[in-house]
Amino acid sequence: MPENSSRQSLIPNYLYSTFTKNSIDLEKYSNGNPTFPYSSTAAATVPYSVVAASPNEPGRKIKMYSPSYYAACTVGGSLCCGITHMAVTPLDLVKCNMQIDPAKYKSISSGFGVLHKEQGVRGFFRGWVPTLLGYSAQGACKYGFYEFFKKYYSDLAGPENAVKYKTLIYLAGSASAEIIADVALCPMEAVKVRVQTQPGFARGLSDGLPKIIRAEGYGGLYKGLVPLWGRQIPYTMMKFTSFETIVENIYKHVTPKPKDECSKSMQLGVSIGGGYIAGVLCAIVSHPADNLVSFLNNAKDATVADAVRKMGVVGLFTRGLPLRIVMIGTLSAAQWGIYDAFKVFVGLPSTGGVPSLPTPSPEFVEV
């Protein structure tokens, strides 16, 4: 067996592969599982050098799982999260205030009315700077490390188990990435929530950040880290795993042709549609923790138990949920659209789905 073949993992290669003469019989790996994305007669290849050619610039290539590949995913993640979260700042502001003061902000429409009356149009974008910086850093870590951990765990599992337990690998990879991403996000999230929900606290990042540090020390910036993990880790696990599954099934059952025969615009449309559905699921799963994050960043020395007592169990699951579903569904769709558009621009395939495969080799060839 070639020395470098031990570093190849099957899940990423199935998602982004070029084909060589070395083929693997997937009947063995799928174990007859009808849900496996390939037919029992299909075969995937494990190339020694995996590259993705730009659809627009044929001479431009990025080697898969190289430093350039992870750098591209990191930049794409930063762009898609930072831009989209900043764009929905007005929705996020109303949502946070509905969570903190439901008596004053009774509904989405009345919430916008209250904000406009008290703060004017400029009030709708309070906290946009920490939002942009915080979610840019989070997105960079989330998408970059997801690609890294997905490859890493696939290699650890080995070829057969990587295919058999691909959903668990998606879950583990996204959870690992989010743990790191939230450490990057937490300080900016603390500033954002207070600027948006405490009138007079600060104008924005420049005076809000030092004010928290002076009052509570640097630990005050990370007071909401555990609830943030509680919100974001399930959110991201649902986001990436459901997206991968939804997109795979769209290409299998909805599109008229396999992914690699679809136009780039159709592939981006699939990414956006799959991203919106995944976002709705994310919002529902992570909403109780989102309420906790807003409460704890607004009440000094408050605990999770205090939040549950004040909001009630039902309120924890439902307060602000309709607006968050709209916001997160839109966010997720836009993020996957921007992320995959950036990947295609730099010469990488869009995320998810299964390319059509050549006629399988009649025999198993170990690589």
Side-chain angles (χ1 to χ4, degrees):
M1 179 179 292
E3 180 180 349
N4 68 348
S5 65
S6 63
R7 296 195 298 270
Q8 302 294 335
S9 70
L10 291 186
I11 286 180
N13 290 336
Y14 289 157
L15 297 177
Y16 323 105
S17 66
T18 58
F19 300 110
T20 70
K21 64 182 179 180
N22 298 313
S23 298
I24 291 178
D25 181 1
L26 293 188
E27 176 71 24
K28 173 183 175 183
Y29 288 146
S30 64
N31 293 321
N33 183 357
T35 64
F36 190 72
Y38 303 94
S39 68
S40 61
T41 60
T45 60
V46 184
Y48 295 119
S49 180
V50 186
V51 296
S54 170
N56 296 320
E57 300 175 74
R60 184 181 185 182
K61 294 182 178 181
I62 293 179
K63 185 176 181 181
M64 297 297 290
Y65 317 115
S66 66
S68 295
Y69 169 76
Y70 293 120
C73 294
T74 298
V75 173
S78 178
L79 289 173
C80 76
C81 287
I83 293 171
T84 53
H85 276 277
M86 183 185 68
V88 298
T89 295
L91 285 173
D92 189 38
L93 200 153
V94 173
K95 183 264 301 179
C96 288
N97 280 284
M98 287 176 67
Q99 292 170 330
I100 297 303
D101 192 355
K104 183 176 181 180
Y105 297 87
K106 298 178 181 179
S107 67
I108 297 172
S109 58
S110 67
F112 276 106
V114 170
L115 280 175
H116 184 268
K117 181 179 180 180
E118 294 185 351
Q119 302 178 31
V121 175
R122 292 183 63 183
F124 290 127
F125 289 92
R126 287 174 59 88
W128 72 269
V129 175
T131 297
L132 175 63
L133 296 179
Y135 283 95
S136 293
Q138 186 216 32
C141 295
K142 177 187 295 190
Y143 283 83
F145 279 110
Y146 172 67
E147 297 289 351
F148 170 80
F149 283 118
K150 185 168 66 171
K151 175 74 165 65
Y152 178 73
Y153 292 143
S154 296
D155 289 343
L156 287 181
E160 187 169 351
N161 286 329
V163 173
K164 186 177 181 181
Y165 300 110
K166 63 175 183 173
T167 299
L168 292 179
I169 289 174
Y170 294 150
L171 291 169
S174 55
S176 299
E178 191 59 41
I179 289 172
I180 299 170
D182 287 343
V183 175
L185 169 64
C186 196
M188 295 296 101
E189 182 76 356
V191 177
K192 175 189 79 73
V193 170
R194 297 194 194 192
V195 168
Q196 290 181 337
T197 60
Q198 295 181 9
F201 173 77
R203 296 186 306 276
L205 178 64
S206 60
D207 55 339
L209 181 64
K211 190 170 184 177
I212 293 175
I213 294 173
R214 285 195 302 270
E216 304 175 38
Y218 287 98
L221 298 174
Y222 286 93
K223 184 173 67 172
L225 180 59
V226 173
L228 192 61
W229 277 334
R231 180 186 79 185
Q232 290 297 133
I233 292 175
Y235 171 95
T236 300
M237 292 170 72
M238 177 65 76
K239 175 178 180 175
F240 283 93
T241 305
S242 62
F243 176 82
E244 299 265 16
T245 303
I246 290 165
V247 167
E248 179 182 305
N249 280 281
I250 289 176
Y251 284 117
K252 285 172 64 178
H253 303 297
V254 179
T255 58
K257 56 186 73 173
K259 176 183 176 179
D260 58 349
E261 296 178 16
C262 294
S263 66
K264 295 305 172 185
S265 59
M266 180 178 287
Q267 290 184 27
L268 292 178
V270 170
S271 295
I272 292 170
Y276 191 90
I277 298 171
V280 171
L281 298 175
C282 292
I284 295 171
V285 167
S286 62
H287 192 66
D290 185 61
N291 273 319
L292 289 177
V293 170
S294 295
F295 184 90
L296 293 176
N297 278 318
N298 239 286
K300 188 175 181 179
D301 300 325
T303 64
V304 172
D306 295 332
V308 174
R309 280 194 297 269
K310 183 168 183 177
M311 300 178 70
V313 175
V314 174
L316 201 63
F317 279 84
T318 61
R319 186 178 294 178
L321 180 59
L323 180 56
R324 191 159 186 266
I325 286 176
V326 173
M327 185 181 80
I328 298 301
T330 304
L331 268 177
S332 181
Q335 285 172 3
W336 282 113
I338 294 171
Y339 180 65
D340 275 351
F342 180 81
K343 287 175 71 176
V344 169
F345 173 75
V346 299
L348 294 169
S350 60
T351 308
V354 179
S356 61
L357 298 173
T359 303
S361 172
E363 61 181 354
F364 174 82
V365 179
E366 187 178 23
V367 296

